[in-house]
Amino acid sequence: MASSSLSHQQSMESDPFSEFQREGFSVVSTKGYDAFINHRGPDIKESVASEIYNCVQVMGYRPFLDQPELQLGDPIPSTIQNAINTSTVQISIFSPRYAESQWCLDELLLMLKTKARFIPVFFDVKPSDLRYPHKGVYGRALGEHEEKGRFSNERLQQWKEALKSSSFLCGYNFSTSNGNVKTLCRKIALAVKQEVENTRCMEVAKYPVGLDDLVEDFERQTARKGNIVGIFAMGGSGKTTLAKELFNRKRWSYHGSSFIFDVREASARDELTCLQSQLLRDLFLEERKFMSKSEGKSFLKQRMRRSRNRFLIVLDDVDDHQQLDALLLRDALNSGSLVIVTTRDESVLTRAGITRHYILKEMKRGHAKELFCRHALGLAKAPTGYEKLVDSFVQFCGGLPLAIQVSAATLLGIADVNIWRSELQKFKSTLNLEIKTKLGISLGRLDREQKQIFMDIACFFIGKLVSIGVRIWKGSGWNTEHTIQTLKDKCLLEIRRGKPMVGIGNGMCEFQYDGPSVFQMHDLLRDLGREMAREIDAHASPLRLWRPRDLKFMEKKGFKNILTETKDKKIRCFNSIFDLSMKCQITYFLGNSDDRDLALTDLLWIELQVNGLEWTSIPSWIPLENLQCLRIIGGHLQRLWQKDDQVPFELKELLLHRTSSAEFPNELRKLHNLEKLVLQGSFTNLPVIDGKSLSETLGKLGNLKSLVLVNCELNGDLTLSSSGYPESEYKTGICNKLKTVGIHDEDLSSEVLDHWPRLKCIVLDSLKNLSKVHLWLVKPLNRLKFKNCRRLKSVSGKLDQGKHTQLIISNCPRLQKLPRQLVSYLNSIEVDRLISFNANKDLKGIDYLHLSNGKVKKYRTYCSKLSKILSMLSS
């Protein structure tokens, strides 16, 4: 019996509160707590303990304090035990009479057994009072417990060890005489907040499909590039999702972390100072309100500079560089810190000096299909009978996670395939409101002109050449280059190189040496732009006609009737029709600028295919007064225009393809605004051009920037010169704005010899009689190419100072040597055979060398500064 009694006592002493469980008091299962506050009630319940409880609660977390938390009928020991076991943070407030309470000491034993963070608070006691429990106030209290004989020596020793362990932990010290209780309690509450947030993983996504691959790609592309990185993409692409995942994975490697959500919205509400206060709380556990952004910025900088800690900071959804100015304290950050900025606008990163960019691309096809199936069916892949429908939905969404989730959510719990087909048609015909709202955020910061160009691209120019759109928008009086860059920065537009779409503006007459750039846009952005165009008030802005039924209706009318019926109407229309009355193909752009007072519809761009027509000139009823680009394909014309009053004085671009004119080139002399001239013949029809007359005409075109001659027969030398060269200023120079010259398949004379003052690009291709080229250029070239000039023996001349030129030599077998004066200004050479260089002197500055036929090792030996050699080199 005695031994049984001793066993019961030992069990009781090793596990406080266990005797209550044996009496039938089970542990109450309740929601977990964020903090447990251990204290001796009579000492500090109404002061320190209650203040800490209130501060933690105000911050939105759940603390446990016996009096407010215990309800009538609750089993006290088991409720307290449950609160201790489920709390993230344990707080013990050591007051002078703390050790007199068996409850406090037993709670302390349980708290130290958990893995939760333990925070000691020393109130009117010192850590040494706990460390040496055989003396002082704690010694007297423990001595009384021992004298009464209620507890075994083992239990008393456990308490002493617990107190001693607590004394070695970093905590908070203050007294009633010199401490501000409220300030200290707020600091303790902030410590609770930080610990709770650090132990909580932020919810990233219901189905984190493809996130591992995305994080791996992010790490690979941004490794070793600084401690500030920007993630940018269009709305709904998953920027915040990626940032959350990175935050969850990386936060443990830093001393402090802060995730600032919705910077854009906070800035719109003028609450950037609140975000600065959040940074201070998260990183330094300090509570402070700032009266202004400058005050917050200055204070945070001082705190960061004094700290040696490494921080992880995420600034989510930034749309203005001034927001980064208030929150991104780059010159105060520890070098080991990391800041991640998400934005829809790349220019925000550029203006803030952030050079480390990560472009979030569309989801991979396989991941997109899995994400759709997860949200729609709860499965990893589509079951039999649903595969094609899933493919169609995913293709429509274009790899945009937002669109995939929204479209899939409408099908959740629906098994009827017919309903799936109906929903697919609905999504294709009507842009979902949630998607529209999300994508439309980026459009909110566009001005009226930028929105007009965005709608133009969505309606007319996807897959079309950039040069066509630029020419038209300039004719509308719009700030074209800046707007295109703005749309690209905001991820509303892409510029890609490749073959344009067949149809309107197929670019068949573009420069052969300069691959075409075309507009591309996400399908959902396209739909958004077209919906904007449908909703717009035709009385306030031009009405865009782009839908097939509108264009088909116009095609039946014929071009002359179209011009008549659209007069005095504000419309924009880009269309290609076959005019039955004239039996020719016409591609045209009619357009107004909404900033103009003119109601007359402008013809800005036209391409006429006049093959087989007996036209002597362009008909007088075609309005050319506002024309920006004229392209004529085929035909033998006496003149381009019948009368002088028909001359398109605003014309910027002229292309004649297989077209001859008796008055050409003299009738071009009045085109003072012409910037680009392309003359293109065919192998069976070589237009004959008088070189002297062309040179004189070009001399009158002071704004000409680009000249391309393809398959032309030129009688006499072509002379492009600048009077006054080599003087630094050109006041009366001829062709002094010419930047690009391309001559292809030209029956040119044996020599090109003169001063081309400001050329940036020269391409000489298939000049069968060309033997000598002399260059004397004021500005350094960007590109110099000789191709298929089989009789070319020498290139001589000099460029001005600067090393930016790319030299390409292809199939010029007689060319043996380039002059040092020319080679010394090159930084890139690409040749298909060995050309003689004095390598030790001439190639000192070369950093890119591509030889498709030669010994690379020899050039490596001579070129000590050579940094790049193509991997395709043959040895």
Side-chain angles (χ1 to χ4, degrees):
M1 191 74 178
S3 97
S4 174
S5 176
L6 178 62
S7 174
H8 173 71
Q9 183 183 10
Q10 290 174 343
S11 172
M12 224 174 30
E13 291 172 352
S14 62
D15 186 8
F17 305 133
S18 59
E19 67 270 29
F20 293 98
Q21 295 181 42
R22 285 182 170 81
E23 295 298 330
F25 293 100
S26 60
V27 176
V28 180
S29 178
T30 65
K31 181 181 179 180
Y33 290 89
D34 295 311
F36 181 87
I37 304 173
N38 165 247
H39 69 293
R40 186 177 183 274
D43 292 350
I44 52 174
K45 183 181 294 292
E46 300 303 324
S47 56
V48 179
S50 294
E51 187 66 28
I52 293 175
Y53 178 87
N54 292 332
C55 287
V56 173
Q57 200 171 46
V58 165
M59 288 186 179
Y61 301 96
R62 189 182 184 192
F64 182 92
L65 189 65
D66 50 8
Q67 188 170 344
E69 293 296 326
L70 287 171
Q71 304 296 320
L72 290 175
D74 285 348
I76 296 175
S78 55
T79 302
I80 291 175
Q81 184 178 8
N82 176 78
I84 292 173
N85 290 332
T86 60
S87 290
T88 305
V89 181
Q90 314 284 9
I91 302 171
S92 279
I93 306 174
F94 296 107
S95 56
R97 300 183 63 183
Y98 177 91
E100 295 178 10
S101 170
Q102 172 203 347
W103 285 90
C104 288
L105 293 170
D106 282 344
E107 286 175 2
L108 179 63
L109 289 178
L110 287 177
M111 292 163 71
L112 292 176
K113 285 182 179 180
T114 67
K115 295 182 180 181
R117 183 180 178 186
F118 184 85
I119 301 177
V121 179
F122 305 102
F123 184 80
D124 278 343
V125 297
K126 298 177 182 179
S128 58
D129 293 327
L130 283 69
R131 198 169 301 151
Y132 307 107
H134 58 279
K135 58 182 180 179
V137 293
Y138 280 25
R140 288 192 296 271
L142 292 170
E144 291 180 3
H145 288 313
E146 188 173 0
E147 289 175 3
K148 292 179 179 179
R150 294 179 56 198
F151 307 102
S152 68
N153 290 335
E154 183 181 356
R155 184 71 164 275
L156 291 169
Q157 187 61 32
Q158 287 177 345
W159 287 345
K160 292 177 182 180
E161 290 296 329
L163 291 170
K164 186 176 181 179
S165 298
S166 302
S167 71
F168 288 107
L169 297 175
C170 182
Y172 294 92
N173 296 271
F174 70 104
S175 66
T176 54
S177 60
N178 60 13
N180 187 322
V181 174
K182 290 188 176 182
T183 300
L184 178 69
C185 291
R186 281 198 297 270
K187 288 185 177 181
I188 295 171
L190 285 169
V192 171
K193 174 184 181 299
Q194 184 185 45
E195 184 63 24
V196 171
E197 290 301 319
N198 283 340
T199 55
R200 288 178 180 174
C201 276
M202 195 177 300
E203 185 178 357
V204 177
K206 185 176 182 180
Y207 301 111
V209 177
L211 263 181
D212 289 339
D213 291 349
L214 203 57
V215 170
E216 182 181 345
D217 185 61
F218 174 88
E219 298 288 5
R220 182 174 59 254
Q221 291 197 34
T222 59
R224 299 184 301 276
K225 291 184 180 178
N227 64 340
I228 304 176
V229 58
I231 302 175
F232 75 95
M234 64 183 288
S237 296
K239 301 181 294 296
T240 302
T241 300
L242 174 59
K244 285 180 180 179
E245 183 68 15
L246 292 168
F247 188 79
N248 284 343
R249 296 191 185 195
K250 292 176 175 290
R251 63 191 304 181
W252 315 112
S253 303
Y254 297 87
H255 299 105
S257 58
S258 180
F259 198 114
I260 307 294
F261 286 96
D262 300 324
V263 175
R264 172 182 54 82
E265 292 185 6
S267 178
R269 297 191 300 265
D270 198 22
E271 294 178 355
L272 285 179
T273 54
C274 297
L275 301 186
Q276 291 174 329
S277 297
Q278 181 184 338
L279 272 176
L280 186 66
R281 284 196 306 270
D282 292 347
L283 303 181
F284 302 103
L285 306 181
E286 296 181 25
E287 189 74 35
R288 184 185 181 97
K289 292 184 178 180
F290 299 114
M291 300 303 295
S292 66
K293 289 182 290 185
S294 58
E295 179 194 355
K297 180 179 177 181
S298 176
F299 189 88
L300 282 168
K301 276 189 175 182
Q302 292 178 7
R303 292 294 288 111
M304 285 186 175
R305 284 169 178 164
R306 292 200 302 265
S307 175
R308 295 183 179 180
N309 290 345
R310 296 180 298 107
F311 300 120
L312 171 62
I313 302 171
V314 175
L315 304 176
D316 180 54
D317 196 13
V318 177
D319 72 342
D320 193 298
H321 69 282
Q322 293 182 355
Q323 298 161 6
L324 291 179
D325 182 63
L327 300 171
L328 180 62
L329 311 172
R330 60 188 312 157
D331 54 344
L333 281 173
N334 184 297
S335 59
S337 297
L338 174 63
V339 181
I340 298 174
V341 180
T342 73
T343 181
R344 302 166 185 235
D345 190 344
E346 188 179 12
S347 67
V348 170
L349 306 176
T350 304
R351 292 179 182 179
I354 301 174
T355 57
R356 189 180 173 194
H357 298 180
Y358 178 75
I359 306 174
L360 189 58
K361 300 176 182 177
E362 297 176 355
M363 289 190 77
K364 295 179 180 178
R365 186 79 171 183
H367 290 154
K369 290 169 67 174
E370 181 182 348
L371 183 64
F372 184 89
C373 291
R374 293 283 187 189
H375 281 278
L377 301 164
L379 303 172
K381 62 180 182 179
T384 304
Y386 291 82
E387 297 94 334
K388 291 184 178 180
L389 283 168
V390 170
D391 282 339
S392 297
F393 270 105
V394 169
Q395 184 176 1
F396 168 74
C397 294
L400 192 68
L402 170 68
I404 293 170
Q405 294 176 40
V406 170
S407 59
T410 63
L411 301 170
L412 185 61
I414 298 175
D416 192 332
V417 175
N418 292 323
I419 297 179
W420 277 53
R421 293 193 181 99
S422 176
E423 285 297 321
L424 178 61
Q425 294 304 316
K426 179 180 176 181
F427 259 82
K428 286 183 176 180
S429 60
T430 306
L431 190 62
N432 178 272
L433 181 60
E434 184 178 349
I435 298 174
K436 180 180 178 180
T437 303
K438 190 76 172 180
L439 297 181
I441 292 174
S442 298
L443 298 178
R445 294 181 65 88
L446 299 180
D447 60 32
R448 184 172 61 172
E449 183 175 294
Q450 291 166 346
K451 289 179 180 178
Q452 293 291 341
I453 290 181
F454 175 76
M455 288 187 287
D456 264 3
I457 297 173
C459 293
F460 306 129
F461 294 109
I462 295 177
K464 306 299 189 297
L465 289 167
V466 173
S467 58
I468 296 176
V470 168
R471 191 66 71 200
I472 288 170
W473 295 320
K474 284 187 174 181
S476 296
W478 289 337
N479 187 3
T480 304
E481 286 83 359
H482 174 71
T483 296
I484 291 175
Q485 187 59 49
T486 298
L487 296 177
K488 286 176 60 182
D489 289 340
K490 293 183 180 298
C491 301
L492 298 171
L493 175 67
E494 291 183 62
I495 304 294
R496 296 180 183 174
R497 299 184 67 81
K499 293 182 179 180
M501 294 171 60
V502 177
I504 299 173
N506 58 17
M508 61 184 173
C509 300
E510 286 299 303
F511 298 162
Q512 297 180 9
Y513 56 86
D514 187 14
S517 297
V518 297
F519 290 115
Q520 292 294 341
M521 185 181 288
H522 194 282
D523 288 351
L524 294 174
L525 287 172
R526 175 204 62 197
D527 294 345
L528 178 61
R530 291 179 176 179
E531 188 164 318
M532 287 173 57
R534 284 195 298 265
E535 295 173 352
I536 203 163
D537 184 0
H539 297 290
S541 295
L543 176 66
R544 286 170 176 81
L545 304 177
W546 56 269
R547 288 175 289 191
R549 63 175 179 267
D550 296 331
L551 299 178
K552 188 174 182 180
F553 176 74
M554 294 185 70
E555 182 173 359
K556 294 179 180 179
K557 292 178 174 292
F559 189 55
K560 189 171 184 178
N561 288 331
I562 290 173
L563 293 175
T564 302
E565 293 189 12
T566 55
K567 188 176 181 179
D568 299 329
K569 293 182 180 178
K570 287 189 173 183
I571 69 165
R572 292 178 79 80
C573 176
F574 193 21
N575 194 17
S576 182
I577 67 171
F578 186 82
D579 192 304
L580 296 175
S581 62
M582 295 189 295
K583 296 183 180 179
C584 72
Q585 189 76 23
I586 301 175
T587 304
Y588 64 93
F589 188 98
L590 295 172
N592 288 112
S593 165
D594 64 338
D595 294 324
R596 290 186 176 184
D597 295 329
L598 297 176
L600 177 66
T601 298
D602 298 330
L603 179 64
L604 299 177
W605 193 97
I606 189 169
E607 180 176 287
L608 302 168
Q609 297 191 26
V610 297
N611 287 317
L613 292 180
E614 296 181 357
W615 278 8
T616 58
S617 65
I618 298 174
S620 59
W621 52 265
I622 297 180
L624 305 180
E625 58 268 20
N626 295 305
L627 197 64
Q628 297 292 302
C629 175
L630 172 62
R631 297 185 173 194
I632 302 178
I633 301 175
H636 300 277
L637 308 178
Q638 295 180 6
R639 302 188 63 177
L640 293 179
W641 26 83
Q642 292 181 2
K643 302 176 181 179
D644 290 342
D645 59 3
Q646 196 186 1
V647 175
F649 293 105
E650 299 297 323
L651 194 67
K652 302 295 192 305
E653 178 180 332
L654 175 63
L655 181 144
L656 302 178
H657 180 60
R658 303 194 309 272
T659 301
S660 61
S661 171
E663 295 294 325
F664 182 85
N666 294 329
E667 59 186 338
L668 303 183
R669 297 185 182 187
K670 294 183 180 181
L671 304 180
H672 300 297
N673 291 307
L674 194 66
E675 297 176 356
K676 176 179 175 182
L677 176 61
V678 180
L679 306 176
Q680 184 171 9
S682 66
F683 294 108
T684 58
N685 181 16
L686 293 176
V688 180
I689 303 172
D690 180 70
K692 181 179 179 180
S693 178
L694 180 59
S695 298
E696 291 176 355
T697 297
L698 296 176
K700 303 293 184 181
L701 305 180
N703 289 305
L704 189 66
K705 297 178 181 178
S706 176
L707 170 65
V708 178
L709 306 177
V710 182
N711 292 331
C712 298
E713 183 175 343
L714 189 66
N715 290 334
D717 294 346
L718 176 63
T719 301
L720 306 175
S721 64
S722 170
S723 62
Y725 186 85
E727 294 179 5
S728 59
E729 295 183 2
Y730 310 94
K731 296 181 180 179
T732 60
I734 301 175
C735 299
N736 60 11
K737 290 188 178 182
L738 195 62
K739 295 181 179 179
T740 303
V741 169
I743 305 177
H744 305 259
D745 300 315
E746 180 71 51
D747 191 9
L748 199 63
S749 63
S750 62
E751 196 170 303
V752 174
L753 177 62
D754 225 310
H755 314 312
W756 294 352
R758 297 183 180 180
L759 286 178
K760 292 186 177 181
C761 178
I762 299 177
V763 175
L764 303 178
D765 187 352
S766 303
L767 307 188
K768 59 185 179 182
N769 293 320
L770 185 65
S771 62
K772 185 185 298 184
V773 173
H774 178 78
L775 303 173
W776 191 0
L777 305 168
V778 176
K779 298 293 182 182
L781 287 168
N782 290 335
R783 183 180 174 93
L784 177 60
K785 181 175 181 179
F786 302 106
K787 181 181 179 181
N788 298 323
C789 300
R790 302 187 62 83
R791 294 187 181 182
L792 182 63
K793 294 181 179 180
S794 69
V795 177
S796 59
K798 180 181 179 181
L799 295 112
D800 201 352
Q801 292 184 356
K803 184 177 74 66
H804 306 288
T805 304
Q806 176 190 17
L807 173 65
I808 301 175
I809 302 173
S810 175
N811 195 21
C812 300
R814 297 190 182 186
L815 184 60
Q816 298 296 327
K817 185 176 182 179
L818 295 176
R820 181 182 302 173
Q821 293 92 332
L822 179 61
V823 175
S824 60
Y825 294 109
L826 303 176
N827 74 331
S828 172
I829 299 178
E830 182 176 343
V831 295
D832 60 358
R833 59 186 297 278
L834 288 178
I835 302 292
S836 175
F837 300 110
N838 186 337
N840 284 321
K841 297 180 180 180
D842 297 340
L843 298 184
K844 285 184 178 180
I846 299 296
D847 60 11
Y848 179 96
L849 179 64
H850 178 189
L851 298 173
S852 57
N853 181 18
K855 294 183 179 179
V856 181
K857 292 182 180 179
K858 176 181 178 181
Y859 284 86
R860 280 183 176 170
T861 303
Y862 290 142
C863 308
S864 59
K865 293 185 179 181
L866 188 63
S867 61
K868 294 181 182 178
I869 300 179
L870 273 191
S871 59
M872 297 182 294
L873 296 175
S874 57
S875 57

